[in-house]
Amino acid sequence: MELNPKDLDKQSAYHLLISSVVPRPIAWVSTISKKGVRNLAPFSFFSGVCAQPMLVSIAVGLRQGKKKDTIKNLEDTGECVIHVVTNPAAESMNESSGDYPADVDEWEVSGVGAEDSVVVKPPRIKGATVAMEGKLYKMLEWKAAPMNLALIEIVHVHIDDRVWDGKSIVVEKLDPIGRLGEDKYARIREIFRLPRPEV
């Protein structure tokens, strides 16, 4: 099979991409609107960008030609909290992913608790294993493609002591899930090491 992405319609190209770039980490993003309405939504086009300053990227598509609440809130307030989605939180994360109207509080829909952040105004998920408070560093928008790319600078990090070994996060204890194609997700059940070759 040989494919030229330019020959594919939007849906076919999307499904090819999300089923081949796997597994993807999931950013569960908390924001607040200018009117004070809380928003909570997951995004799997999410990645680390740089360590100093600590930057992550989140790509967010349009919904029916309009910016999603997360992007509008980031543009209006410049603040968010990004949570790592763990296996016990999978169902709640999925509940918050629906196409709800802007006045719906996904915190209530998903049944998760909230607690105050340290630096930013959006709350963080109570009991989240890893929560990164962030401020908008730069927003990129493509006219030809229906999406926005938000670069977020992490300004404060909350880590459950149970997954921290003093230097880094112990993935086996974190128990994160990853996004696959369609409505499929992955759990980490086997971890192996491959030391880098010394050159």
Side-chain angles (χ1 to χ4, degrees), residues 174-192:
L174 179 63
D175 196 18
I177 63 171
R179 189 78 163 90
L180 306 175
E182 301 171 335
D183 57 356
K184 300 173 185 174
Y185 293 81
R187 298 183 179 97
I188 296 177
R189 288 294 175 257
E190 181 180 349
I191 296 174
F192 62 95

